Amino acid sequence: MTDLKKERQRAESDARTHGYYLNPDAATLEALLEGLKRNEERYGYPSCPCRLASGKFEFDRDIVCPCDYRDPDVEEFGHCYCTLYVRKDVFEGKTPFAPIPERRPSEKQSRAYRLDIEETKTVDNDSKTKMKMWYCRQCGYVCFREDPPYVCPICKAKREMFSEIIINTDFQG
Amino acid sequence: MTDLKKERQRAESDARTHGYYLNPDAATLEALLEGLKRNEERYGYPSCPCRLASGKFEFDRDIVCPCDYRDPDVEEFGHCYCTLYVRKDVFEGKTPFAPIPERRPSEKQSRAYRLDIEETKTVDNDSKTKMKMWYCRQCGYVCFREDPPYVCPICKAKREMFSEIIINTDFQG
Amino acid sequence: MTDLKKERQRAESDARTHGYYLNPDAATLEALLEGLKRNEERYGYPSCPCRLASGKFEFDRDIVCPCDYRDPDVEEFGHCYCTLYVRKDVFEGKTPFAPIPERRPSEKQSRAYRLDIEETKTVDNDSKTKMKMWYCRQCGYVCFREDPPYVCPICKAKREMFSEIIINTDFQG
């Protein structure tokens, strides 16, 4: 199986799992999958074909496909930033594609450029110290990330439904 | 995008993720989505349009859509209590809709009425102390809730497959 | 509802959740569901109809349907070991079924035979001590298992994306 076929199957399976569709235009879809394959070869992970990756996984994590911004973008605009994942009404041509603002913080975007040329030893350490255990107050889904996801992958509750799990160990003397 | 459209899209995406369909009758579906929208405006969360909410999230958690009872109800009866989410055979008209018993404990139902008029400071505290970390012994899915879910959202194992995760810290002197 | 119907519905719902299809051949599908039902009755859990179970859940966990090997097998070969779960292109007849190697370690396969006749008190203790909390470095999904899953059920990242969550409690004197 060619790598491109693998990218397609991963994306198809992922789209179905989350209730999305892939871009209905065959040429656009192929170009996006080609971009994912190229990034997989270059960095070892399929980072977003429409964004600049730094090559440091911990820093790029939010833009590894499916990126953190896909779910709120599909919900609000009908498709993700790349137009790889689209909503049913967009897939069926009932809602047109529309330009969408970049949800990734501009500070991260500009740091990505600098990471290409600088040595940044601290990236990994920085992010590890910020990892927290979160749970969805609606369905109980647990995840371990810097920030909670925009949408709960299990019950589709919004980010505000997430709270941190804190392990208390009390001592009294 | 109107709020009603948002409710519809959340429900559609959620149905696809879990392998369900939405009610095939357009008028019924619209009425249910209207109910969800109304509860979202009133309480800040889309509680079940067919049940009385108290307005206290911690108490209403089990009936926020998709409610805790949906998965076992769809499995046993072919649709949820509201008929918002339906199974394929019901969606296709091969199995008729049937009256289904209310799975929510009657004690919770009657407390919901009292919560409307009384001040119940203890609701939040009560529920927080009962939260536990559960895992599915079949696939390992972890969640943080009072009780385990009826069905594992990842591998569809039954509630009995869940066990509590206990963090041991042993001291010896 | 007959038990066979329940097995079918669980499998259908599970297939949709993960973006798969069930075997398109009605007779094969029925035979597989019959096998699952028989194991459910015999062992209390639907272990794989094509593999020998020991009857000890902790030991058989990896082959309870959907088994641990399904996701990498569907990805690589287009269907699971049993052919119960198939990929879209296989479902549509565009890719033929192919013989696939058994991914379950041969050491586990041969132990399953011995477990049928021997008393193995240590099975449970063995496996419990090896349980770890894992998280997907891409999306944060958390699970509690001996090993991480082959594919993240949320974002479809590969096994290598999983790391262990370690709870540190530091004392200094």
Side-chain angles (χ1 to χ4, degrees):
Chain A
M1 189 163 58
T2 65
D3 285 341
L4 197 62
K5 216 171 165 186
K6 277 199 179 179
E7 293 294 345
R8 185 186 299 271
Q9 282 162 4
R10 191 207 59 79
E12 266 176 3
S13 157
D14 187 36
R16 285 202 91 205
T17 294
H18 291 270
Y20 304 141
Y21 295 78
L22 297 186
N23 194 306
D25 182 70
T28 306
L29 178 55
E30 179 129 354
L32 291 168
L33 296 173
E34 278 285 357
L36 287 169
K37 184 190 147 201
R38 211 177 318 119
N39 287 344
E40 176 107 46
E41 288 164 358
R42 192 186 301 166
Y43 305 123
Y45 45 85
S47 64
C48 177
C50 307
R51 283 160 170 138
L52 181 71
S54 72
K56 318 266 192 257
F57 175 76
E58 292 295 332
F59 185 82
D60 296 337
R61 198 203 53 73
D62 60 321
I63 57 164
V64 177
C65 184
C67 73
D68 279 6
Y69 314 106
R70 180 191 66 173
D71 292 339
D73 279 345
V74 174
E75 191 188 315
E76 192 170 343
F77 301 101
H79 53 81
C80 72
Y81 187 66
C82 277
T83 75
L84 175 61
Y85 294 98
V86 308
R87 214 171 46 204
K88 198 183 176 188
D89 51 314
V90 172
F91 180 79
E92 291 172 347
K94 292 176 187 165
T95 306
F97 283 89
I100 67 176
E102 167 61 290
R103 209 179 279 267
R104 189 182 209 205
S106 57
E107 171 261 342
K108 277 211 99 172
Q109 292 177 60
S110 51
R111 273 190 71 194
Y113 283 94
R114 281 179 280 135
L115 280 163
D116 269 346
I117 41 170
E118 289 174 35
E119 259 319 297
T120 52
K121 277 190 199 171
T122 54
V123 170
D124 284 22
N125 298 335
D126 272 7
S127 55
K128 265 180 198 164
T129 53
K130 286 185 235 146
M131 301 290 280
K132 290 173 185 170
M133 191 86 97
W134 303 95
Y135 77 103
C136 170
R137 293 198 309 281
Q138 180 167 336
C139 74
Y141 173 73
V142 170
C143 57
F144 188 65
R145 298 163 51 106
E146 293 179 48
D147 302 302
Y150 281 90
V151 176
C152 172
I154 301 299
C155 77
K156 314 292 176 194
K158 291 173 215 148
R159 169 173 267 186
E160 298 81 59
M161 276 291 171
F162 279 83
S163 293
E164 194 182 342
I165 299 178
I166 296 175
I167 299 173
N168 287 315
T169 37
D170 291 328
F171 284 95
Q172 287 176 2
Chain B
M1 187 163 57
T2 66
D3 285 341
L4 196 61
K5 215 173 166 185
K6 275 198 181 181
E7 294 293 345
R8 185 186 300 271
Q9 281 161 4
R10 191 205 58 79
E12 266 176 3
S13 155
D14 187 35
R16 286 201 92 206
T17 294
H18 292 269
Y20 304 142
Y21 294 77
L22 296 186
N23 194 304
D25 183 72
T28 306
L29 179 56
E30 179 129 353
L32 290 169
L33 296 173
E34 278 286 357
L36 286 169
K37 185 191 148 200
R38 210 178 318 118
N39 287 345
E40 175 107 46
E41 288 164 358
R42 194 188 299 169
Y43 305 123
Y45 45 85
S47 63
C48 177
C50 307
R51 285 163 170 134
L52 182 72
S54 71
K56 317 267 191 258
F57 175 77
E58 293 293 333
F59 186 82
D60 296 338
R61 197 203 54 73
D62 59 322
I63 57 165
V64 176
C65 187
C67 73
D68 278 6
Y69 314 106
R70 181 190 63 172
D71 292 337
D73 279 347
V74 173
E75 191 188 314
E76 192 170 342
F77 302 102
H79 53 80
C80 72
Y81 187 66
C82 279
T83 75
L84 176 60
Y85 294 98
V86 309
R87 213 170 47 204
K88 198 184 177 189
D89 52 313
V90 172
F91 180 78
E92 291 172 348
K94 293 177 188 165
T95 305
F97 282 91
I100 68 176
E102 167 61 290
R103 208 180 279 268
R104 190 182 209 205
S106 58
E107 171 261 340
K108 278 211 99 170
Q109 292 176 61
S110 52
R111 274 188 72 190
Y113 283 94
R114 281 179 279 133
L115 280 164
D116 268 347
I117 42 173
E118 290 174 34
E119 261 316 299
T120 51
K121 278 190 198 171
T122 53
V123 169
D124 284 21
N125 297 334
D126 274 5
S127 56
K128 263 181 201 166
T129 52
K130 287 186 237 146
M131 301 288 279
K132 289 171 185 171
M133 191 86 96
W134 303 96
Y135 77 105
C136 170
R137 293 199 306 283
Q138 180 167 335
C139 72
Y141 173 72
V142 170
C143 57
F144 188 63
R145 298 162 51 108
E146 292 180 48
D147 302 301
Y150 282 88
V151 177
C152 172
I154 300 299
C155 76
K156 313 294 178 195
K158 292 174 213 147
R159 170 172 266 186
E160 298 82 59
M161 275 292 171
F162 278 84
S163 292
E164 195 181 341
I165 299 178
I166 295 175
I167 299 173
N168 287 314
T169 37
D170 292 328
F171 284 95
Q172 288 176 3
Chain C
M1 187 164 57
T2 65
D3 285 342
L4 196 62
K5 216 171 164 185
K6 276 198 179 179
E7 293 294 345
R8 186 187 298 272
Q9 281 161 5
R10 190 206 58 78
E12 266 175 2
S13 155
D14 186 34
R16 285 201 93 205
T17 294
H18 291 269
Y20 304 142
Y21 295 78
L22 297 186
N23 193 306
D25 182 71
T28 306
L29 179 56
E30 180 129 354
L32 291 169
L33 297 172
E34 278 286 356
L36 286 169
K37 184 192 149 202
R38 210 178 319 121
N39 288 344
E40 176 106 46
E41 287 163 359
R42 192 186 301 169
Y43 304 122
Y45 45 85
S47 63
C48 176
C50 307
R51 283 163 171 138
L52 182 72
S54 70
K56 318 266 191 258
F57 175 76
E58 292 294 334
F59 185 83
D60 296 339
R61 199 205 53 74
D62 60 323
I63 57 165
V64 177
C65 185
C67 73
D68 277 8
Y69 314 105
R70 180 190 64 174
D71 292 338
D73 279 345
V74 174
E75 191 187 315
E76 192 170 342
F77 301 101
H79 52 82
C80 72
Y81 186 67
C82 278
T83 73
L84 176 60
Y85 295 98
V86 308
R87 213 170 47 204
K88 197 184 179 191
D89 51 315
V90 173
F91 180 79
E92 293 172 346
K94 292 178 189 164
T95 306
F97 284 89
I100 67 175
E102 167 62 292
R103 207 180 281 267
R104 191 183 208 204
S106 57
E107 170 263 341
K108 278 211 101 173
Q109 291 178 61
S110 51
R111 273 188 73 192
Y113 282 93
R114 281 179 278 134
L115 280 163
D116 268 345
I117 42 171
E118 289 173 33
E119 262 316 300
T120 51
K121 279 189 196 169
T122 53
V123 170
D124 285 21
N125 298 335
D126 273 8
S127 55
K128 264 179 199 165
T129 51
K130 286 185 236 147
M131 300 289 280
K132 290 172 185 171
M133 191 87 96
W134 303 96
Y135 77 103
C136 171
R137 295 199 306 281
Q138 178 166 336
C139 74
Y141 173 72
V142 170
C143 57
F144 189 63
R145 297 164 51 107
E146 293 179 46
D147 302 301
Y150 282 88
V151 177
C152 173
I154 300 300
C155 77
K156 313 293 178 195
K158 291 173 215 148
R159 168 172 267 185
E160 299 80 60
M161 275 292 171
F162 279 85
S163 293
E164 196 182 339
I165 300 178
I166 295 175
I167 300 173
N168 287 314
T169 38
D170 292 329
F171 283 95
Q172 288 175 1

